[in-house]
Amino acid sequence: MVQRVLLAAAFSIGLVSVPAVLASRGDRDAAYSTGDWRNASVDEEQRRFVALASRIADRFGVEIWYDVCSHGYVWEHLLPIFHALPGRILAAASATERSWPPGLSSGRQQDGLLTRGFREGDVVEGTPEVVQAFLRTSRRHLVLAAGGIRDWMAEKWGLRRGVTPFEQLWTLSHGIDEGHFWGDDASKLSHGAGLPPVLFSRYLRKQRSGAVEALMSRLTPGMPTVVYLASILNQCHSPAFLTLGPVGVAAQCGSSGRGHGHRAVVAALRHLVRTGHNVVVRLHPQDIEERGLEAYRALLPGCLFDDYRAGRSAGDLAGVADIVVAEPSGSTFAVLHDAPKTPIVYLLRDREMYGCVKDKVLNESMADVVFLGPPAQVAGNRSSAPAAALLRAVRRTMGTTVGDQQVQARLSHVRRYYGDIDGFEEYRFAAALLRRLVFGDRTMARALVELEGLLARFSVLPVDQELPQPPICDTPCCREDKAFKSS
């Protein structure tokens, strides 16, 4: 149970420290130990940047709270910013390790903070009153959150659109992807407040190396390794095949949901285990939080399951894989960028829709595309046909060489959705955020000129780089498609 420490009334904004969120984590399983995400050594130019950014924040009253009270997206899409622009970790006062009302706490979301270098003093236990008081104290006080719709993220803190200080809660991108083409959540396209996504941080990739080595030690030497990247069932027609679905959703979908493709994927993965393959499954964070891993371990005996809380990214997994089998998700883009030479089998549900948007999505120029839709879309009508089609794709793709042309196609696809990337996005994020908080203060503006000069010494990309708008479907075949309309 989270311990509550009451502070004296002199603390006008009502901060509450929560050492219990971090206490007793030091003896957690080593799988959660993934380097120092808070304050590890960096090159001299980056160290000087962080020092100057901190001085500017202190001088001009900038304070940032990082809201970890959401899905597991925060590890890859929010906390990489912390080392470049230190602040406080915002945890929910009402959360226990097992609580789960969406938007309050994602089960054991705080697991791993201490083993990643964060300190007890970094954490603030939040209530709506505490958060609102913090934001109202200054317009340079911000709460940063990742995942979910902005109104949904604000609601748990009692913030409402159009009422101050709603605009001081910024929701960041939690993985731009192609889901809007397949009827999934289109709100991702507007997340991020125009700030660079931090999924590809060099700093964090270095810190995760120990977690990657821990995974490799669990693989059987001499056996090929297959990594399966699973998505989540947002809509009944989502191309998410392995998931058991968020609680309640799968049952609503019936045979049009998990019925087509789910059994085929399960059968194929079981077959790969039986025939001498390391099979590593990475579930969507929401699946782990709502369903837990035990149901999937029972479904897929012999498979290894990668827990996002261990700190590894999908790109890290792809780096040790002989082949990746992927559903549409932001994790697939991490593979394209971090391991562009790893062979990929890409699973989709709707062949007709693919034909309409293939120039805007991951296609056969970058991966082996397999359709696991209704029987009419799969060769033959036998129930085993989809599983057999998937296994054939794995066999023909495993061991193939991804040539330079295919690598360039993959990297160009990532750039189309994410813009130019150099791995220093969290530093550009910090500079851009501070720039937005100048509010006409010429002294602060001059200080930021110096900060941006430091940034230019190690990042070739400009702070004010305009991020791309991911492609949308604007042709008649899309507009007439029910899946597209539902997004």
Side-chain angles (χ1 to χ4, degrees):
M1 177 68 66
V2 175
Q3 297 175 354
R4 290 168 172 76
V5 181
L6 299 179
L7 296 184
F11 288 89
S12 59
I13 61 174
L15 293 184
V16 185
S17 175
V18 280
V21 172
L22 296 178
S24 303
R25 300 296 192 209
D27 59 352
R28 286 202 57 79
D29 190 286
Y32 288 95
S33 300
T34 56
D36 185 348
W37 289 35
R38 184 186 190 276
N39 192 32
S41 61
V42 293
D43 292 344
E44 178 62 18
E45 288 87 357
Q46 292 151 39
R47 186 195 65 77
R48 291 175 61 195
F49 176 97
V50 173
L52 181 55
S54 296
R55 289 198 301 272
I56 292 172
D58 289 343
R59 180 180 178 185
F60 297 99
V62 176
E63 292 190 39
I64 309 298
W65 286 4
Y66 295 85
D67 184 354
V68 299
C69 304
S70 62
H71 294 302
Y73 313 125
V74 298
W75 293 119
E76 293 183 351
H77 301 287
L78 177 65
L79 290 182
I81 305 165
F82 191 98
H83 82 99
L85 190 62
R88 305 290 295 276
I89 301 294
L90 175 60
S94 60
T96 68
E97 286 195 353
R98 296 185 179 277
S99 67
W100 170 250
L104 258 186
S105 169
S106 294
R108 303 170 66 92
Q109 179 54 42
Q110 287 84 21
D111 278 2
L113 280 172
L114 190 61
T115 56
R116 287 180 171 91
F118 292 100
R119 304 168 182 172
E120 294 179 359
D122 292 330
V123 181
V124 172
E125 186 180 50
T127 64
E129 294 76 19
V130 166
V131 172
Q132 291 176 41
F134 165 71
L135 294 177
R136 289 195 175 101
T137 299
S138 170
R139 58 179 176 170
R140 288 185 175 140
H141 287 184
L142 299 178
V143 170
L144 303 183
I149 300 170
R150 187 180 189 184
D151 300 76
W152 180 77
M153 298 300 296
E155 184 177 302
K156 64 179 178 288
W157 306 124
L159 302 173
R160 300 192 310 278
R161 183 177 294 274
V163 179
T164 303
F166 177 86
E167 296 301 326
Q168 290 167 247
L169 184 143
W170 296 4
T171 53
L172 311 182
S173 166
H174 64 284
I176 303 167
D177 59 34
E178 305 167 354
H180 56 292
F181 289 116
W182 314 116
D184 284 355
D185 181 11
S187 68
K188 281 186 177 184
L189 301 182
S190 60
H191 288 176
L195 295 164
V198 296
L199 174 64
F200 306 106
S201 166
R202 297 188 190 194
Y203 176 90
L204 261 297
R205 190 167 192 177
K206 183 184 298 184
Q207 299 308 310
R208 294 194 303 258
S209 61
V212 176
E213 292 169 3
L215 173 68
M216 292 179 67
S217 70
R218 299 172 62 196
L219 302 177
T220 302
M223 286 174 29
T225 297
V226 179
V227 168
Y228 190 97
L229 301 180
S231 189
I232 196 70
L233 195 70
N234 286 318
Q235 304 284 346
C236 294
H237 43 256
S238 298
F241 302 100
L242 182 58
T243 178
L244 296 174
V247 176
V249 173
Q252 296 171 8
C253 294
S255 62
S256 64
R258 290 191 289 119
H260 298 310
H262 174 75
R263 289 187 294 273
V265 167
V266 171
L269 295 180
R270 287 175 175 174
H271 178 83
L272 290 170
V273 170
R274 289 195 304 269
T275 54
H277 297 77
N278 295 305
V279 178
V280 181
V281 177
R282 183 180 176 94
L283 298 169
H284 190 280
Q286 190 175 344
D287 255 345
I288 294 178
E289 292 158 2
E290 293 194 358
R291 292 280 184 175
L293 288 172
E294 292 308 312
Y296 288 95
R297 290 192 176 111
L299 186 68
L300 293 169
C303 290
L304 298 175
F305 288 87
D306 183 66
D307 189 333
Y308 72 87
R309 292 169 296 191
R312 292 175 288 265
S313 74
D316 295 333
L317 298 181
V320 303
D322 293 286
I323 189 170
V324 170
V325 181
E327 300 170 1
S329 73
S331 293
T332 304
F333 278 85
V335 173
L336 296 175
H337 179 270
D338 293 344
K341 291 194 173 183
T342 300
I344 298 174
V345 173
Y346 194 49
L347 304 184
L348 293 175
R349 190 181 299 279
D350 192 333
R351 186 188 298 270
E352 184 178 350
M353 185 66 168
Y354 172 77
C356 180
V357 300
K358 64 184 298 183
D359 62 325
K360 306 176 190 295
V361 301
L362 186 64
N363 57 42
E364 60 264 30
S365 71
M366 296 170 261
D368 192 329
V369 180
V370 176
F371 296 93
L372 297 179
Q377 295 194 21
V378 181
N381 289 317
R382 293 172 297 126
S383 61
S384 62
L390 175 52
L391 289 170
R392 284 195 299 271
V394 170
R395 284 194 294 268
R396 68 173 172 259
T397 306
M398 178 104 56
T400 59
T401 299
V402 178
D404 292 343
Q405 187 174 357
Q406 193 173 30
V407 167
Q408 289 307 312
R410 291 178 172 188
L411 296 178
S412 295
H413 188 60
V414 174
R415 193 176 304 115
R416 188 177 190 183
Y417 279 75
Y418 283 84
D420 292 322
I421 296 165
D422 64 1
F424 298 117
E425 282 70 42
E426 65 265 44
Y427 298 93
R428 295 202 306 279
F429 184 106
L433 180 149
L434 292 171
R435 176 66 66 183
R436 293 188 184 190
L437 300 179
V438 167
F439 299 131
D441 188 321
R442 294 182 180 180
T443 305
M444 184 174 179
R446 286 194 296 270
L448 289 177
V449 170
E450 181 183 355
L451 184 72
E452 291 166 7
L454 284 176
L455 178 62
R457 295 185 182 184
F458 59 89
S459 176
V460 299
L461 301 177
V463 173
D464 58 355
Q465 175 186 229
E466 186 175 349
L467 298 178
Q469 177 66 30
I472 61 173
C473 197
D474 52 6
T475 58
C477 59
C478 287
R479 287 195 296 267
E480 294 170 3
D481 188 276
K482 293 181 180 179
F484 180 76
K485 282 185 178 181
S486 69
S487 69

